[in-house]
Amino acid sequence: MALLRTLSHQPVTSKNMSERPKAADLRSKKAEHHTHGPQELSRIVTDFKTGRCYCRGKLLGKGGFAKCYEFSDLVTGKVYAAKIIPHTRVSKPHQRAKIDKEIELHRALHHKHIVHFYHHFEDKDHIYILLEYCSRRSLAHILKARKVLTEPEVRYYLRQIVAGLKYLHEQEILHRDLKLGNFFITELMELKLGDFGLAAKLEPVESRRRTICGTPNYLPPEVLNKQGHGRESDVWALGCVMYTMLLGRPPFETTNLKETYRCIREARYTLPSTLSTPAQDLISGMLARNPQQRPLLDSILSHDFFTQGFTPARLSISCCVSSPNFQRSPRQSFFRKAAAAIFGGKRDKEKYYHTLKLSKEEDIHRLQNDLKRITIGTPPVTDTATGVRHSAPPRPPPTPPPPHEVRDSIHMIVRGALGTSCNSSEGVEDGTMASVVDGVARVLRDCLENMPEAESIPKKKVGSTFLWVTKWVDYSNKYGFGYQLSDHTVGVLFNNGTHMSLLPDRKTVHYSAELGNCCVLSSKEAKEPFLGQVTILEYFAHYMEENLMDGGNLSKVTDVSKPCLYLLQWLKSDRALMMLFNNGTFQVNFYHDHTKIILCCEAQEYLLSYINEERVSTTVRLSALINNGCSAHLRERMHYAYNMLMQLCT
């Protein structure tokens, strides 16, 4: 029975579908392993192409072809999860092709809920794949310690799984082996999808391969019937995952693999009455026998199971071994703290609680959804009847006007600046702030005036470590403008003209009321008059971390020695968002095609980065643009960015 349970959780292909290995076969394989086993792993492993050396640590896990170890870079100290495959296990061409395909596919994936691929190399004995290290191991380990999970925890994990899976499906990639052991948990209890050994590009129905692959307990009927994998197959596996988390066992597990496959083909399983009605309904939908009847990923998140139940913003690390207590939800406590900080008097606090209706758990979700109605990447529209700003519906990008006509076409919507109130129509009065604007404008103008015409961006690219905005949220109708930098610093330029930054350690806060004036606070020990703003700052950080995706593939910066960077001014038109920082970094995000321009000064040299529609970035020296020119597509955006910058002086 123990052997069957182990086998039912291992990936299978059409070549290893037998119900139970024979004892003689097991003895033969064991003897073969001892006789022809792979070269023993060294404690110190060197990548001879880069010269980097790594120290092999503890074993993290093992699969059919590979073992996974903790790897530490001996120079930087950075820790990786290293997937190590002996050459002897991939000696046949089709085996090596499988590993190469996994590497090619995984290295192109970039999402907060996908295990990050860093690097791969090989020596004469092994292939090494360096991946993001997830110190809390996997959901399988958590469930082994916990036996079952609570519904709020299941919602917490499923939201992240769906986010990662949606990204994969948008890339036309099927995972094909979704199970608890392939959901890895970071130090901060964030979930990451991993193990892309069975992943494949989505093919048209008539061209799909009929190979049976995956983990037996999670295989959908259409795969067992050799009809091929589709997006619906991953949804089926997601239903099995949800069932397993709530009940501690897969829905189709039996003592006989053949019986398990029969139950899967008939979609025959039990739903205990201990499950809530929304949970039963969602599982039933995902485990529909007909693939076309299973819900889409967006429909899953809008199901009653999610909308009518509490989802924690974070889970404590204690949840790895013990059940959490949600009687008083962290989010409810969070907003009570915010109310106490922002409203001093008892009557005001009672009025605030009454307005938010925090006494009922389901009403907290109304407040939780409040940020979802704000502007994220699109210009706001004001409802003249209610005075409430909301996001405009998507529309096709306008035809770009000639550069000399751009400034006249800019329709300003809203703006904010350090030291002034949001939506002020006044120009820049502070001499120091004006010098930042003038300096950036002069550099950009000189480039545009001297740059020749060309068909493309210069081919010579440069590396960079500057900070840029990866996520942003306009909540200026209530609090202010929030953003996240590429080092995970979160900043808010409040409507009262002050600025706060929450550093990546999530403990240190930088507060600025004017350019060049910055004080340091502790988020845990903040007192009046800062407590209310710190609370709102933390809410912005939680929201962007949970709901927004990074805006491009520029490298992330983790150098904590860099000086404090904070937003000086922001301005929105009907076409783009402009952000200017205290060090002169200037970024413009165009809404409709999601392109971005970032101008910065690094090592006494100006660099320009352009992120195109495919979220691929190119960084060049501004001097190279002046000498060689760029495409009309980029030139037009630079003209628009320059004229937006000039609006700050009007």
Side-chain angles (χ1 to χ4, degrees):
M1 176 63 183
L3 178 61
L4 273 175
R5 177 180 286 271
T6 301
L7 288 173
S8 66
H9 286 77
Q10 296 299 317
V12 299
T13 67
S14 57
K15 295 183 179 180
N16 62 355
M17 288 290 291
S18 57
E19 290 185 38
R20 184 192 297 263
K22 296 179 181 179
D25 292 337
L26 288 175
R27 288 194 297 270
S28 174
K29 286 184 178 293
K30 188 174 181 180
E32 179 185 350
H33 174 76
H34 285 294
T35 306
H36 305 288
Q39 179 76 22
E40 185 177 351
L41 277 168
S42 302
R43 184 70 173 171
I44 303 299
V45 177
T46 302
D47 177 358
F48 292 102
K49 285 189 176 180
T50 64
R52 287 191 174 274
C53 294
Y54 304 91
C55 178
R56 177 174 59 84
K58 63 183 178 181
L59 178 68
L60 300 176
K62 53 186 177 180
F65 283 89
K67 290 183 179 180
C68 193
Y69 287 91
E70 185 180 292
F71 254 38
S72 301
D73 188 310
L74 290 178
V75 175
T76 66
K78 185 174 178 62
V79 180
Y80 302 90
K83 187 173 183 178
I84 304 176
I85 307 109
H87 282 304
T88 55
R89 301 304 304 271
V90 291
S91 56
K92 296 179 181 179
H94 76 275
Q95 294 172 329
R96 180 58 196 244
K98 179 178 178 293
I99 298 300
D100 291 340
K101 176 186 173 185
E102 178 184 352
I103 292 172
E104 179 185 6
L105 186 150
H106 194 171
R107 74 191 307 170
L109 300 177
H110 302 281
H111 189 270
K112 65 174 290 187
H113 293 303
I114 301 288
V115 170
H116 187 69
F117 182 104
Y118 284 103
H119 179 55
H120 83 283
F121 63 96
E122 54 187 284
D123 56 25
K124 63 184 180 64
D125 296 312
H126 301 91
I127 302 168
Y128 304 88
I129 303 175
L130 302 190
L131 305 170
E132 181 178 5
Y133 178 64
C134 298
S135 61
R136 304 294 173 191
R137 305 187 75 177
S138 72
L139 269 185
H141 294 94
I142 292 176
L143 195 70
K144 183 177 180 180
R146 291 280 309 280
K147 309 306 180 188
V148 294
L149 302 182
T150 63
E151 285 198 3
E153 290 174 286
V154 172
R155 280 189 284 270
Y156 171 84
Y157 290 124
L158 280 181
R159 282 186 184 276
Q160 298 177 66
I161 295 171
V162 169
L165 190 57
K166 184 178 178 182
Y167 168 77
L168 284 181
H169 288 182
E170 287 172 350
Q171 310 303 311
E172 300 287 306
I173 294 172
L174 304 176
H175 189 281
R176 304 205 303 175
D177 195 22
L178 296 177
K179 59 181 179 181
L180 272 67
N182 288 340
F183 302 135
F184 300 94
I185 309 299
T186 69
E187 183 73 16
L188 298 177
M189 296 297 289
E190 294 176 334
L191 183 144
K192 311 271 184 172
L193 275 69
D195 195 344
F196 294 91
L198 296 180
K201 281 286 187 179
L202 179 66
E203 302 288 347
V205 175
E206 63 277 4
S207 305
R208 289 177 186 171
R209 288 168 290 182
R210 313 304 178 187
T211 305
I212 299 178
C213 66
T215 301
N217 274 318
Y218 298 82
L219 292 174
E222 62 270 21
V223 172
L224 286 178
N225 294 331
K226 298 189 176 181
Q227 296 169 332
H229 284 83
R231 291 186 178 92
E232 306 84 5
S233 303
D234 280 345
V235 172
W236 170 280
L238 196 61
C240 294
V241 166
M242 179 179 173
Y243 186 105
T244 305
M245 286 193 288
L246 289 170
L247 296 171
R249 58 180 177 81
F252 303 102
E253 185 176 68
T254 67
T255 58
N256 183 289
L257 205 54
K258 187 177 291 185
E259 178 63 21
T260 293
Y261 290 152
R262 183 181 296 112
C263 291
I264 291 174
R265 286 190 173 96
E266 298 173 2
R268 175 161 46 89
Y269 60 97
T270 59
L271 282 170
S273 58
T274 53
L275 292 179
S276 67
T277 300
Q280 293 185 45
D281 184 68
L282 180 55
I283 290 172
S284 298
M286 289 193 284
L287 297 183
R289 185 177 179 183
N290 183 348
Q292 303 306 316
Q293 294 177 354
R294 296 171 202 158
L296 301 174
L297 292 177
D298 286 333
S299 301
I300 291 173
L301 293 182
S302 62
H303 189 273
D304 287 350
F305 177 74
F306 288 97
T307 61
Q308 295 183 10
F310 166 68
T311 304
R314 290 283 182 192
L315 287 180
S316 167
I317 59 174
S318 64
C319 293
C320 293
V321 293
S322 61
S323 181
N325 182 3
F326 291 123
Q327 288 183 354
R328 183 177 182 182
S329 72
R331 192 170 293 276
Q332 183 173 358
S333 174
F334 180 87
F335 283 107
R336 287 189 180 277
K337 180 181 176 183
I342 297 171
F343 298 93
K346 181 179 180 182
R347 181 176 302 175
D348 287 333
K349 283 188 282 187
E350 289 176 351
K351 180 179 179 181
Y352 186 66
Y353 293 148
H354 176 74
T355 302
L356 299 180
K357 299 180 180 179
L358 289 176
S359 59
K360 295 181 180 179
E361 186 181 88
E362 59 267 22
D363 287 326
I364 297 174
H365 298 288
R366 193 177 306 168
L367 180 61
Q368 187 177 355
N369 291 330
D370 190 20
L371 270 178
K372 296 179 182 179
R373 296 193 294 270
I374 65 181
T375 305
I376 305 172
T378 53
V381 176
T382 302
D383 188 325
T384 55
T386 63
V388 176
R389 287 207 309 274
H390 54 83
S391 297
R395 58 180 176 180
T399 303
H404 66 276
E405 298 178 8
V406 171
R407 185 171 184 181
D408 294 335
S409 71
I410 296 178
H411 171 58
M412 309 319 300
I413 293 177
V414 65
R415 71 199 307 178
L418 184 71
T420 63
S421 62
C422 187
N423 299 330
S424 170
S425 60
E426 299 176 1
V428 178
E429 297 179 353
D430 180 79
T432 309
M433 190 178 294
S435 66
V436 177
V437 177
D438 290 343
V440 177
R442 183 181 67 255
V443 169
L444 199 53
R445 181 178 62 249
D446 289 347
C447 180
L448 288 168
E449 289 178 351
N450 296 285
M451 184 169 56
E453 294 185 0
E455 295 183 356
S456 62
I457 301 175
K459 293 183 179 180
K460 189 175 182 181
K461 314 297 191 302
V462 296
S464 59
T465 59
F466 60 86
L467 294 173
W468 63 290
V469 175
T470 60
K471 305 176 183 181
W472 63 271
V473 170
D474 176 13
Y475 205 4
S476 58
N477 62 333
K478 273 197 174 182
Y479 300 125
F481 182 90
Y483 60 94
Q484 178 176 294
L485 295 173
S486 50
D487 68 344
H488 296 286
T489 293
V490 173
V492 176
L493 182 53
F494 290 96
N495 289 348
N496 64 3
T498 61
H499 184 283
M500 273 191 176
S501 294
L502 182 63
L503 271 56
D505 62 9
R506 294 299 182 255
K507 297 177 182 178
T508 308
V509 174
H510 286 179
Y511 174 83
S512 301
E514 59 184 13
L515 181 61
N517 185 1
C518 179
C519 67
V520 180
L521 313 168
S522 169
S523 63
K524 305 302 180 185
E525 300 173 1
K527 299 178 181 179
E528 292 292 353
F530 304 112
L531 184 56
Q533 286 178 284
V534 169
T535 305
I536 294 170
L537 174 64
E538 289 177 332
Y539 187 26
F540 270 93
H542 279 298
Y543 177 78
M544 286 189 282
E545 188 70 19
E546 293 296 324
N547 295 277
L548 303 187
M549 188 171 70
D550 287 344
N553 73 336
L554 275 172
S555 59
K556 302 295 186 293
V557 178
T558 57
D559 184 2
V560 295
S561 65
K562 283 188 172 292
C564 176
L565 182 71
Y566 53 88
L567 185 63
L568 199 60
Q569 300 200 43
W570 63 276
L571 183 146
K572 290 171 71 176
S573 74
D574 55 348
R575 185 182 170 194
L577 161 72
M578 185 211 76
M579 294 166 284
L580 178 65
F581 288 84
N582 61 308
N583 68 345
T585 295
F586 176 62
Q587 180 170 337
V588 178
N589 293 14
F590 294 88
Y591 309 129
H592 302 292
D593 60 3
H594 304 292
T595 56
K596 300 169 183 67
I597 290 175
I598 306 159
L599 179 69
C600 73
C601 185
E602 192 172 80
Q604 306 300 314
E605 185 175 31
Y606 276 95
L607 306 177
L608 186 137
S609 290
Y610 176 58
I611 301 177
N612 65 16
E613 296 91 332
E614 284 75 40
R615 298 161 53 85
V616 176
S617 66
T618 303
T619 301
V620 296
R621 294 181 175 87
L622 212 61
S623 57
L625 285 182
I626 294 174
N627 292 330
N628 303 305
C630 67
S631 64
H633 183 78
L634 176 56
R635 178 191 290 267
E636 187 274 329
R637 279 159 176 72
M638 291 174 64
H639 269 285
Y640 193 94
Y642 170 74
N643 285 303
M644 283 194 76
L645 185 62
M646 296 308 295
Q647 291 288 332
L648 296 178
C649 302
T650 59

